[in-house]
Amino acid sequence: LYDAGGGEHISSDGTDLTIASGNDINLTATANINIPQNIGLTFGDDSEKISGDGTDLIIAANTSINLNTPQVDLLQDTNFVTTGGVNGMSIDGTTFSVDGANNFVGIGTASPDFPLEVNGGTTASQTVAAFFNAVDQADEYVELFLGEANTTGNCAAIRYYRAGDDNAANRLGLGIRDHENTMVITHNSK
């Protein structure tokens, strides 16, 4: 098929079917455009490809896949699975890094050595993490538990009690959850 006016044509060389256009190629259909299993759409030099195997959609690229949109919506709960090791998935390399092989997460590092490693940066004195309660009112607290997984009886707490703005009754507790003093450190051996 050949359009002499626009130069668009469909041709075959016995192996490949070629659709040529000087501008867009528009496909219109009232239903699906079906591509058989294990057949893909290839872009450029065969490095970029979209294909399906009957179960999974595979998007492959030589270097990167760029999403140029202000928002990406995931319409169901999604499990991101990494098959690599150190820095198997990251945001900006070191802002947030996941080591799927060791189940480590790094913030500020691309190669975490612990289940959660936070690297604050390059200056000697700085805040590396902040824990805030979303409610700003008196008689609130923020608490961090340290100890055995999934138990509150086998752990110690670091708790900050806020009595009010610039209040002398604001206090920090280490190892105990309820106290009246400004700072309390306890140890309970079993």
Side-chain angles (χ1 to χ4, degrees):
L1 297 173
Y2 180 74
D3 179 359
E8 291 83 9
H9 65 272
I10 299 174
S11 62
S12 174
D13 62 4
T15 303
D16 297 327
L17 178 68
T18 302
I19 302 173
S21 173
N23 206 331
D24 294 338
I25 297 174
N26 300 306
L27 300 174
T28 59
T30 58
N32 295 327
I33 297 173
N34 298 305
I35 298 173
Q37 180 176 322
N38 297 320
I39 302 297
L41 298 175
T42 302
F43 305 90
D45 60 0
D46 290 344
S47 297
E48 297 83 26
K49 186 173 184 177
I50 300 174
S51 62
D53 63 7
T55 303
D56 298 324
L57 177 67
I58 301 157
I59 302 174
N62 227 9
T63 305
S64 64
I65 297 172
N66 301 304
L67 301 175
N68 187 8
T69 180
Q71 179 174 320
V72 175
D73 296 320
L74 302 174
L75 302 180
Q76 65 181 21
D77 291 344
T78 303
N79 185 17
F80 290 92
V81 179
T82 62
T83 57
V86 175
N87 209 25
M89 182 181 83
S90 73
I91 297 174
D92 295 331
T94 60
T95 300
F96 181 84
S97 176
V98 175
D99 175 348
N102 296 303
N103 294 326
F104 291 164
V105 173
I107 298 173
T109 177
S111 54
D113 292 318
F114 304 97
L116 175 61
E117 181 174 339
V118 179
N119 183 340
T122 58
T123 60
S125 298
Q126 65 182 347
T127 302
V128 295
F131 299 92
F132 297 108
N133 192 333
V135 179
D136 186 16
Q137 66 185 29
D139 298 322
E140 68 177 9
Y141 64 88
V142 176
E143 189 169 56
L144 175 64
F145 284 109
L146 305 171
E148 294 180 19
N150 301 319
T151 63
T152 56
N154 294 323
C155 64
I158 300 173
R159 180 182 273 198
Y160 168 73
Y161 289 87
R162 180 181 179 274
D165 292 342
D166 300 317
N167 193 318
N170 291 342
R171 55 201 184 272
L172 179 67
L174 302 177
I176 190 169
R177 299 181 69 190
D178 297 307
H179 56 276
E180 297 297 327
N181 299 313
T182 301
M183 182 169 182
V184 175
I185 299 173
T186 65
H187 172 72
N188 183 10
S189 60
K190 293 183 178 183

